[in-house]
Amino acid sequence: TMAFSSSSKGLVIDTAINQSKPLSFKLSKYLNYNLQEELKDYCLIIAQRLVDSHINFFAIDFDNTLISEHTGGKWERSSTELASKVRPVFRHLIPALIQHNIFVAVVTFSGQVALITQVLKSCFPNVYDMIPIRGNDLSWEYRGRGLNGGKQPHIASAAEFLEKTHKVSITRTSTLLVDDDNNNIIIALQESVNAVRFYPEDPDRIITDLMNVGK
């Protein structure tokens, strides 16, 4: 079972709290110019920095975080159209994380898990089946000792699945949540889970924040 010790201390990664000087970076140019290879290199650096910070599990929210859309679990158009809204940074970061042996899961309040699976398959055809999804589709239930608020049960359920499947140890201090909902971030930090808030109004900031994990 997931070793989520309440006595462990998580990293406070939100730069609103972290007073260290952030690395300057602007993602907007990667949307305007053909510099995808350089963005890919940055994502490889982030992955290595997370490894150096002893992170082995990356849990990411779907609506308004992985994608630039808030579906509210009510998307009625095609999965192909929704896949086009996956943010460029995460298109590169997720494969980089997996390449560095960091497990990835999608944790969402959306119940459209089958749709999300198709989005992942479209964007990450070589690794999508390595990414568990925990959404509000009644396909799973968490009965462990972890807190039931925010994304905590989603994270714990995915972690337990990965632990069992890959015979690894995932703890609160080795877990990182990325989510645009500040309430989920606050609950994670209160439970000693590392957390970075994603700001949809300032998407460039995620590169800076992830680059400064553990500093």
Side-chain angles (χ1 to χ4, degrees):
T1 59
M2 195 170 187
F4 265 18
S5 170
S6 60
S7 63
S8 58
K9 185 177 181 180
L11 299 172
V12 178
I13 305 171
D14 191 327
T15 54
I17 302 171
N18 183 354
Q19 298 301 314
S20 61
K21 184 178 180 181
L23 176 70
S24 177
F25 184 87
K26 276 292 180 183
L27 183 59
S28 55
K29 66 178 181 178
Y30 293 96
L31 306 180
N32 299 325
Y33 302 99
N34 186 23
L35 295 174
Q36 293 296 315
E37 286 302 312
E38 189 174 349
L39 177 57
K40 182 178 179 181
D41 289 341
Y42 271 102
C43 288
L44 290 171
I45 293 170
I46 290 171
Q48 184 57 56
R49 290 196 179 183
L50 294 182
V51 169
D52 294 343
S53 296
H54 308 291
I55 301 297
N56 70 351
F57 178 39
F58 185 92
I60 184 168
D61 172 49
F62 188 70
D63 283 1
N64 256 359
T65 304
L66 179 62
I67 63 171
S68 59
E69 179 88 16
H70 193 279
T71 70
K74 299 178 181 179
W75 184 261
E76 296 181 350
R77 299 192 292 277
S78 71
S79 62
T80 301
E81 182 178 346
L82 193 57
S84 71
K85 298 180 183 295
V86 171
R87 299 182 190 274
V89 62
F90 295 126
R91 285 180 180 268
H92 291 293
L93 182 59
I94 286 175
L97 294 172
I98 293 173
Q99 180 181 332
H100 282 73
N101 298 314
I102 296 175
F103 298 102
V104 177
V106 174
V107 291
T108 176
F109 291 143
S110 170
Q112 294 185 294
V113 170
L115 173 67
I116 295 170
T117 299
Q118 290 304 310
V119 170
L120 296 182
K121 185 175 182 180
S122 175
C123 295
F124 313 109
N126 297 323
V127 297
Y128 80 95
D129 56 351
M130 300 172 63
I131 305 172
I133 303 168
R134 289 297 182 269
N136 291 1
D137 64 342
L138 305 179
S139 68
W140 58 276
E141 184 178 6
Y142 177 66
R143 296 182 177 181
R145 296 180 291 111
L147 182 72
N148 285 323
K151 293 289 177 67
Q152 297 310 108
H154 301 66
I155 293 169
S157 175
E160 288 182 348
F161 170 79
L162 291 166
E163 285 185 314
K164 182 177 180 180
T165 302
H166 299 282
K167 310 300 180 186
V168 296
S169 174
I170 297 173
T171 68
R172 296 185 190 213
T173 54
S174 73
T175 298
L176 172 61
L177 170 67
V178 174
D179 199 311
D180 72 296
D181 189 325
N182 193 48
N183 183 60
N184 295 329
I185 296 298
I186 290 172
I187 292 173
L189 293 173
Q190 288 174 341
E191 290 299 301
S192 302
V193 174
N194 306 302
V196 173
R197 185 177 178 187
F198 184 85
Y199 294 87
E201 69 279 8
D202 185 14
D204 298 3
R205 178 171 172 168
I206 192 62
I207 289 285
T208 302
D209 289 352
L210 290 176
M211 281 284 193
N212 286 285
V213 166
K215 283 192 174 182

